[in-house]
Amino acid sequence: MAHFNVSPRTFFAIIALIGLSACASISAVGPGPVEIGKSYRISTGEVWSKYPPQSRTNTAATMTIDGTILNTLSFVDGLKPGESIIYTSDRDKLIPKYRADMSASELVDFVLDSYSAQGLANGKMTDLRPEKFGTLDGYRFDFTGAYKSGLELSGTGKIAQQGDNLHIIIFYAPSEYYYGLRKDEVDGILASVSLL
Amino acid sequence: MLNRFKPVLFRYPLRLALLALGSTALMSCVSTDVPPIEAQAAPDDATDEGGIWYVTDKVEKDLQTSAIVERDPALNDYVSTVACRVTGPEYCKDLRVYIVKQPYFNASMAPNGMMQVWTGLLLRAENEDQLAYVLGHEFAHYRQRHSLKQWRQAKNMSNASLIFSVGAAAAGAGAAGVLGQAAALARLYGFSREAERESDDLGFDFFVAAGYAPGEAARTWEYLIAEAAESSSRRKRKSVARASVFATHPVTTERVENLQAKAAALPAGTPRREAFLAVTKPFLQQWLEQDLTLRDFGSSLFLTNTLIEDGDALGVLYFHRAEIYRLRRADGDNDLALADYQTASQYDDAPPENWRQMGDALAKAGKTDEAKTAWATYLEKAPDAPDRLLIQSYLDPDGA
Ligand SMILES: [Zn+2]
């Protein structure tokens, strides 16, 4: 679930609507442990809204605290080689696919290129460093970009391979105010990963 | 001329504009025979043309704040200057050129004077002349008011889907974004065969009058047809046969031959390459990277090989070709990639990442010591590299 096409007008309309929306498939999770798919668990410090898995994008869960336009935390659980994290109805569109032998920078490129194919503008990795994902050797990365409307966004995430499969946690929000607002909470979540 | 991101005023109240658009539906038939637009003319508020301008002004206003517009002043000045050379000083004031960061070969001309030039076009033009020809062709659509003709023809034929497209764009298809709106409007500038032919002829005249080399007009289309034939996308390869390489302006062999014949009757001239290269070179790597996000390796390889033949920016180009092989992962591509990283490393303009990727490729090939040398060179060349900590962990796995 990625929203890069939102216009400023829609952006503010959605801010106004968020309080009114309710959906049965969304559950409140936290504060405390939240299981993601079959492979790992994270722990939140606050209450988040959790959306169900989306098989089309191989997303195990999407969570948000203020609405997916204002911040989105997505989880992929064990992506298999040849799979993709974006969906296109255009069967002829060529999209980035995950491969088991990708290097760390290739893994991050795979994630950001996928988002770019989906509408992230000016996506750029700004930091990449080794960091544990539970007990796995993983990588932490930061990135910047923009919604197509021009609104700038910042993001951070963590990836790790378990055998041939890839786990991804990725968070992004508008750079102005909203990213900083949830940065500490998200850092805490990224640090809390434990394998099931 | 300086690039003018002049604010587009809401010239007409919405209700009036929609009334004007709607009113033509009541007439039995509107004339599609319209004279060329005068320089610095704007249509009357209460006409269908006024309504079309209102809608495109609205789309333009969103485009102005969009993240997909390239705002580099030197590049914008240059492209706008080339546009003015082909339009002449009077019409120059009517056009506003936007460079849009999209990896496709495309340019479009809205009826209100909003011209879009996509970076995929700038990446593929070999010289100023080829760019100038496309801009001349686009300007001809504006001058001949092809959008208005298109609109009136649709109205006369009660083409509901076109009318709906424009209505949707007018309503501000917010969530669909700027390109969504533009796509809805593209129906207005997806022109007829006659309009394309007229724009080819007029565009050619404008571009020759501005002193450009006549033979370059056909070369742009020839290149596009050749690249599409090499595409990894079946649909794109088929589009060669269907003659729709240049989405909103279908390119046919007949059109190519027409331009070739016109050029053959004139002295050859010398294409202007230096100025074009000077202003586009700083963007080459960025545009190539964007092209690669399409994952159309066949097309990217064809493009990169063509640019390598031209012989400029070889460090950037060999690095990029290595990147194509690295991502394509066909049999033998690892070796091809490594060889190109090594070739690129001999040129001064190879980007620092070339050494990081060369290190990764060497490590994959089991050459650990050479890999470490390449990674170390990367950190020397890019001391502030975003992945410095990662690379240091490769150089010193025990983490000193
Ligand atoms: Zn055309």
Side-chain angles (χ1 to χ4, degrees):
Chain A
M1 194 178 299
H3 299 274
F4 299 113
N5 288 322
V6 69
S7 74
R9 205 178 318 137
T10 314
F11 180 74
F12 292 111
I14 286 168
I15 292 177
L17 279 170
I18 279 160
L20 306 173
S21 66
C23 180
S25 61
I26 304 172
S27 56
V29 294
V34 182
E35 285 187 11
I36 304 296
K38 296 188 183 98
S39 309
Y40 59 97
R41 174 193 295 133
I42 52 112
S43 186
T44 75
E46 296 182 46
V47 179
W48 287 69
S49 300
K50 182 165 171 274
Y51 291 75
Q54 287 191 308
S55 57
R56 293 199 306 190
T57 57
N58 291 302
T59 307
T62 300
M63 291 179 16
T64 178
I65 223 169
D66 308 291
T68 52
I69 301 297
L70 297 184
N71 52 50
T72 300
L73 179 61
S74 284
F75 300 88
V76 173
D77 165 27
L79 191 71
K80 295 182 192 68
E83 289 183 339
S84 161
I85 56 167
I86 58 175
Y87 170 77
T88 170
S89 54
D90 180 352
R91 280 193 319 192
D92 207 43
K93 188 166 178 181
L94 310 158
I95 56 176
K97 300 229 169 76
Y98 164 64
R99 304 288 172 204
D101 64 350
M102 284 175 159
S103 67
S105 60
E106 284 181 318
L107 292 171
V108 176
D109 284 349
F110 160 70
V111 174
L112 294 187
D113 285 352
S114 298
Y115 275 39
S116 298
Q118 217 179 17
L120 170 69
N122 309 333
K124 188 172 184 286
M125 187 248 290
T126 55
D127 198 86
L128 172 59
R129 55 198 182 274
E131 200 174 289
K132 287 283 179 189
F133 189 104
T135 51
L136 300 170
D137 287 329
Y139 306 98
R140 177 74 185 267
F141 60 96
D142 299 326
F143 65 99
T144 56
Y147 301 87
K148 280 194 172 172
S149 64
L151 192 65
E152 288 181 3
L153 65 84
S154 300
T156 188
K158 196 177 227 184
I159 45 177
Q161 287 174 300
Q162 186 167 19
D164 277 348
N165 298 344
L166 180 68
H167 302 317
I168 307 171
I169 306 177
I170 188 162
F171 174 78
Y172 62 88
S175 303
E176 198 172 326
Y177 185 65
Y178 289 95
Y179 182 73
L181 184 66
R182 303 299 173 199
K183 178 82 167 64
D184 288 349
E185 166 76 2
V186 170
D187 281 343
I189 290 172
L190 290 175
S192 73
V193 177
S194 64
L195 298 179
L196 292 173
Chain B
M1 182 207 77
L2 294 176
N3 185 54
R4 294 154 297 128
F5 285 106
K6 78 177 180 198
V8 173
L9 301 172
F10 277 59
R11 275 178 274 241
Y12 322 100
L14 176 63
R15 222 173 313 149
L16 187 59
L18 293 180
L19 188 72
L21 279 173
S23 66
T24 51
L26 302 173
M27 301 177 194
S28 54
C29 227
V30 211
S31 172
T32 57
D33 188 18
V34 293
I37 194 166
E38 300 282 325
Q40 289 157 68
D44 198 294
D45 291 8
T47 60
D48 55 350
E49 191 172 24
I52 291 173
W53 278 49
Y54 168 79
V55 172
T56 41
D57 282 357
K58 217 159 169 284
V59 171
E60 182 170 355
K61 201 160 177 280
D62 283 349
L63 183 67
Q64 283 169 339
T65 57
S66 170
I68 59 173
V69 172
E70 173 59 62
R71 298 174 201 282
D72 178 76
L75 185 66
N76 277 284
D77 282 356
Y78 178 74
V79 176
S80 294
T81 304
V82 175
C84 284
R85 277 197 191 124
V86 289
T87 64
E90 289 310 304
Y91 282 103
C92 166
K93 297 170 190 155
D94 297 330
L95 299 192
R96 296 163 305 282
V97 180
Y98 298 89
I99 299 171
V100 178
K101 291 186 262 187
Q102 289 290 298
Y104 306 94
F105 186 102
N106 201 16
S108 68
M109 184 74 242
N112 69 340
M114 163 180 65
M115 186 192 271
Q116 291 188 23
V117 177
W118 289 14
T119 49
L121 185 160
L122 295 173
L123 175 61
R124 285 166 175 82
E126 287 177 302
N127 49 49
E128 183 173 316
D129 306 60
Q130 292 180 6
L131 169 65
Y133 173 67
V134 176
L135 301 186
H137 172 101
E138 297 299 330
F139 166 60
H141 283 309
Y142 170 81
R143 185 173 171 275
Q144 302 308 105
R145 294 155 95 193
H146 286 156
S147 293
L148 180 63
K149 287 182 194 172
Q150 183 82 357
W151 172 259
R152 288 188 176 172
Q153 269 159 11
K155 275 295 212 181
N156 288 346
M157 292 162 61
S158 300
N159 183 334
S161 78
L162 177 108
I163 293 158
F164 177 78
S165 289
V166 175
V178 158
L179 286 180
Q181 284 177 313
L185 280 181
R187 298 292 300 276
L188 263 187
Y189 27 90
F191 303 116
S192 65
R193 268 173 88 118
E194 299 78 57
E196 288 305 331
R197 178 63 186 253
E198 187 179 33
S199 285
D200 275 353
D201 289 344
L202 275 174
F204 185 84
D205 294 345
F206 298 147
F207 135 104
V208 169
Y212 289 107
E216 297 303 307
R219 282 184 59 93
T220 308
W221 297 163
E222 289 171 58
Y223 171 82
L224 280 184
I225 292 171
E227 185 191 301
E230 295 296 318
S231 172
S232 304
S233 150
R234 192 180 307 128
R235 186 181 48 195
K236 218 166 152 193
R237 284 197 306 273
K238 264 199 259 165
S239 77
V240 182
R242 285 209 321 265
S244 55
V245 180
F246 182 20
T248 45
H249 315 260
V251 180
T252 58
T253 358
E254 182 211 325
R255 286 177 64 192
V256 175
E257 283 162 7
N258 170 44
L259 290 173
Q260 284 167 338
K262 288 162 79 77
L266 295 167
T270 313
R272 302 177 200 185
R273 185 159 160 81
E274 302 274 300
F276 180 81
L277 276 188
V279 77
T280 53
K281 215 171 185 171
F283 296 92
L284 181 62
Q285 196 187 342
Q286 182 187 327
W287 293 344
L288 287 168
E289 271 171 25
Q290 233 180 12
D291 183 66
L292 204 38
T293 63
L294 300 179
R295 294 294 190 272
D296 184 346
F297 302 122
S299 183
S300 289
L301 263 184
F302 183 82
L303 170 64
T304 309
N305 285 330
T306 306
L307 293 171
I308 286 175
E309 269 172 47
D310 290 341
D312 292 288
L314 292 175
V316 171
L317 292 169
Y318 281 113
F319 165 67
H320 182 71
R321 196 169 69 180
E323 291 285 273
I324 299 172
Y325 291 133
R326 175 176 68 79
L327 287 164
R328 189 175 68 172
R329 295 163 166 269
D331 282 348
D333 275 356
N334 280 345
D335 295 339
L336 290 171
L338 179 54
D340 273 347
Y341 290 129
Q342 284 168 330
T343 307
S345 71
Q346 287 156 33
Y347 293 92
D348 290 341
D349 63 335
E353 306 89 80
N354 184 67
W355 281 266
R356 180 190 65 201
Q357 302 293 35
M358 187 160 76
D360 287 6
L362 285 163
K364 239 179 217 175
K367 300 177 181 170
T368 319
D369 289 344
E370 287 175 65
K372 285 188 174 178
T373 310
W375 285 326
T377 309
Y378 168 57
L379 291 187
E380 272 165 36
K381 288 180 179 285
D384 299 325
D387 52 354
R388 191 177 47 84
L389 288 175
L390 176 75
I391 301 299
Q392 275 171 350
S393 77
Y394 292 166
L395 292 172
D396 180 12
D398 303 322

